[in-house]
């Protein structure tokens, strides 16, 4: 029995994976054969076979292997324009395909001149970045505010590498890139503001409740107060120390969360705020809210332990375990959003290679 047959028996999906891989390799080889013949064809023949449409569809669906192969075998393709006067890198911007656009940084200085071209509507590359992203790309991002942030990141990244004069150029509608961006993203910005305010208001209610409960529990300590000394009865208990520290941390963090989300609600909501200011405030607010919930549950668990340790100590164990349920729910519902905000704001760059401004 061959190794292939053994894997096929051991792994039921192995044959399907093997066939898919084989089809992929055969498709790549077929594309290489086709691309080698492209330089021999005239411009009219290229239009007849629908090369521009094939390239556009490949960019639209993020088929960077297709683009890499055609650039490698037919480098002149980077200069070719479609009916709208756009090169493949221009379409990569319009369709928000960063992996394909990143290929431009592997070109030489002379080839990068393609970034200085304009389409038939007198749009430069910064105008194209100012256009609204296709819905298929926006749908991969959670929330209108983060979608707006992604659009701003595209615009700002390209602004850094393109000549300064591009920012003042007018297209056929007499719009600068900045003016076009504001026009195209008017509705998305409204949706982003609504999404950010709703999220901030909901979290602010939770943080306010936690701070109120923690403030009250600071004066109603578990076990009560010694009437003679006025000190807490369990003052020397380690569990009481845990309660005091957890209660204090929960109060401070929830109060911070309330103030941060208040700042989000009262923000001016300018375009630039969606790039860093608003996401940073939301990240801080969500983190402090999560921390306040955790420390509140620690304070609750320690209070239960102090109260029941003399008689029903075993009851405190399942109660403390159950107190992790709210933490788990919050982690499942809000923590993914917090991580996505962190990644998109601080860890994500549109372009992988350091940019040098073109002249």
């Amino acid at each position: 029995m061959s190794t292939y047959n053994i894997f096929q028996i051991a792994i039921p999906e192995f044959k399907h994976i093997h066939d898919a891989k084989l089809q992929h390799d055969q498709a790549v080889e077929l594309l290489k054969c086709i691309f080698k013949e492209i330089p021999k064809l005239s411009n009219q023949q290229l239009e007849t076979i629908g090369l521009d449409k094939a390239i556009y569809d490949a960019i639209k669906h993020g088929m960077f292997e297709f683009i890499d192969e055609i650039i490698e075998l037919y480098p002149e393709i980077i200069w070719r324009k479609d009916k709208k006067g756009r090169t493949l890198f221009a379409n990569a911007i319009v369709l928000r395909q960063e992996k394909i656009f990143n290929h431009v940084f592997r070109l030489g200085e002379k080839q990068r001149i393609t970034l200085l071209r304009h389409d038939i509507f007198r749009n430069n590359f910064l105008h194209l970045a100012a256009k609204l992203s296709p819905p298929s790309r926006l749908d991969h991002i959670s929330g209108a505010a983060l979608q707006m942030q992604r659009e701003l990141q595209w615009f700002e990244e390209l602004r850094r590498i393109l000549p300064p004069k591009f920012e003042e150029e007018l297209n056929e509608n007499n719009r600068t890139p900045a003016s076009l961006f504001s026009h195209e993203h008017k509705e998305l910005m409204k949706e982003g503001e609504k999404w950010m305010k709703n999220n901030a208001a909901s979290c602010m209610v939770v943080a306010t409740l936690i701070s109120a409960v923690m403030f009250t529990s600071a004066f109603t300590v578990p076990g009560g107060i010694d009437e003679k000394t006025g000190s807490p009865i369990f003052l020397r208990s380690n569990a009481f120390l845990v309660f005091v520290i957890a209660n204090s941390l929960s109060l401070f963090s929830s109060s911070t969360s309330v103030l941060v989300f208040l700042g989000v609600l009262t923000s001016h909501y300018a375009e630039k705020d969606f790039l860093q200011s608003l996401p940073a405030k939301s990240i801080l607010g969500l983190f402090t809210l999560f921390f306040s919930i955790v420390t509140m549950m620690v304070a609750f668990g320690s209070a239960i332990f102090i109260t029941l340790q003399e008689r029903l100590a075993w009851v405190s164990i399942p109660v403390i375990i159950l107190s992790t349920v709210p933490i788990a729910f919050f982690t499942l519902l809000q923590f993914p959003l917090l991580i996505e905000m962190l990644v998109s704001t601080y860890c994500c760059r549109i372009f992988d290679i350091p940019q040098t401004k073109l002249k």
Side-chain angles (χ1 to χ4, degrees):
M1 184 179 290
S2 65
T3 306
Y4 175 80
N5 291 332
I6 294 173
F7 275 109
Q8 188 174 349
I9 295 171
I11 308 173
E13 294 295 322
F14 180 77
K15 186 178 186 303
H16 174 72
I17 297 171
H18 176 269
D19 292 344
K21 175 65 175 172
L22 184 61
Q23 289 177 2
H24 177 268
D25 293 341
Q26 291 173 343
V28 170
E29 290 300 319
L30 179 60
L31 283 174
K32 287 181 179 179
C33 294
I34 294 173
F35 293 157
K36 287 177 182 177
E37 299 299 318
I38 287 178
K40 302 175 184 178
L41 302 177
S42 66
N43 190 58
Q44 186 176 359
Q45 288 174 318
L46 291 176
E47 290 181 0
T48 303
I49 64 174
L51 178 63
D52 295 333
K53 181 69 166 60
I55 292 174
Y56 182 87
D57 288 341
I59 296 171
K60 182 179 180 180
H61 295 97
M63 300 169 64
F64 57 90
E65 289 182 351
F66 180 98
I67 302 301
D68 286 348
E69 289 292 339
I70 197 170
I71 292 176
E72 183 179 347
L73 298 172
Y74 183 38
E76 289 78 15
I77 196 69
I78 66 171
W79 305 104
R80 183 175 177 80
K81 292 185 175 183
D82 60 15
K83 292 180 180 179
K84 293 182 179 179
R86 296 172 183 171
T87 63
L88 64 88
F89 292 123
N91 283 321
I93 293 174
V94 174
L95 298 171
R96 300 296 193 269
Q97 294 291 346
E98 58 273 9
K99 288 185 178 179
I100 293 173
F101 187 82
N102 270 321
H103 194 97
V104 77
F105 298 111
R106 298 200 288 270
L107 302 176
E109 290 294 331
K110 291 183 178 179
Q111 286 83 1
R112 289 190 197 177
I113 297 175
T114 186
L115 297 181
L116 306 180
R117 298 268 180 114
H118 297 66
D119 64 14
I120 62 174
F121 309 108
R122 299 208 308 270
N123 290 314
N124 60 40
F125 273 39
L126 202 54
H127 280 108
L128 299 180
K131 290 182 174 293
L132 185 64
S133 179
S136 59
R137 297 298 294 171
L138 288 177
D139 290 342
H140 293 292
I141 304 171
S142 301
L146 294 183
Q147 292 174 357
M148 185 68 183
Q149 181 193 42
R150 189 65 172 178
E151 292 289 273
L152 281 164
Q153 287 172 342
W154 264 95
F155 188 78
E156 291 299 320
E157 291 277 339
L158 278 167
R159 188 178 61 80
R160 291 191 190 101
I161 65 174
L162 293 172
K165 65 179 182 179
F166 273 29
E167 298 179 41
E168 304 300 326
E169 288 184 353
L170 301 175
N171 63 8
E172 68 172 13
N173 295 320
N174 292 320
R175 290 188 180 276
T176 62
S179 173
L180 181 61
F181 185 93
S182 299
H183 176 73
E184 289 274 331
H185 295 82
K186 190 183 299 181
E187 291 302 319
L188 182 61
M189 195 168 78
K190 289 180 181 178
E191 292 175 11
E193 180 179 348
K194 182 180 179 182
W195 182 88
M196 191 68 79
K197 283 185 175 180
N198 288 340
N199 188 60
S202 300
C203 293
M204 189 175 175
V205 170
V206 178
T208 303
L209 289 172
I210 293 173
S211 60
V213 171
M214 292 298 100
F215 184 82
T216 303
S217 62
F219 297 98
T220 54
V221 294
I225 304 293
D226 191 331
E227 295 180 358
K228 295 180 180 179
T229 61
S231 300
I233 295 174
F234 294 103
L235 181 62
R236 298 185 182 278
S237 171
N238 291 331
F240 184 80
L241 179 62
V242 171
F243 169 81
V244 171
I245 294 174
N247 188 83
S248 302
L249 291 175
S250 183
L251 177 61
F252 296 149
S253 57
S254 59
S255 300
T256 302
S257 183
V258 170
L259 294 174
V260 170
F261 284 123
L262 183 61
V264 173
L265 290 173
T266 57
S267 176
H268 293 296
Y269 287 93
E271 282 180 4
K272 300 295 182 183
D273 290 342
F274 286 93
L275 184 62
Q276 188 104 16
S277 175
L278 288 171
K281 288 178 182 178
S282 295
I283 289 169
L284 179 60
L286 283 172
F287 177 78
T288 50
L289 178 59
F290 178 74
F291 185 73
S292 68
I293 292 174
V294 172
T295 49
M296 179 182 69
M297 290 297 101
V298 172
F300 171 76
S302 59
I304 291 294
F305 179 79
I306 291 170
T307 305
L308 301 178
Q309 64 178 337
E310 295 294 334
R311 189 171 181 183
L312 298 171
W314 64 271
V315 176
S316 61
I317 297 174
V319 171
I320 292 171
I321 294 173
L322 286 173
S323 68
T324 61
V325 173
I327 300 173
F329 271 116
F330 184 85
T331 302
L332 289 173
L333 297 174
Q334 294 292 338
F335 207 66
L337 177 62
L338 176 60
I339 296 300
E340 187 173 355
M341 282 187 174
L342 278 169
V343 171
S344 64
T345 305
Y346 299 111
C347 306
C348 183
R349 292 290 299 272
I350 301 293
F351 306 131
D352 299 330
I353 302 174
Q355 305 93 353
T356 55
K357 188 176 278 290
L358 298 173
K359 299 180 180 178

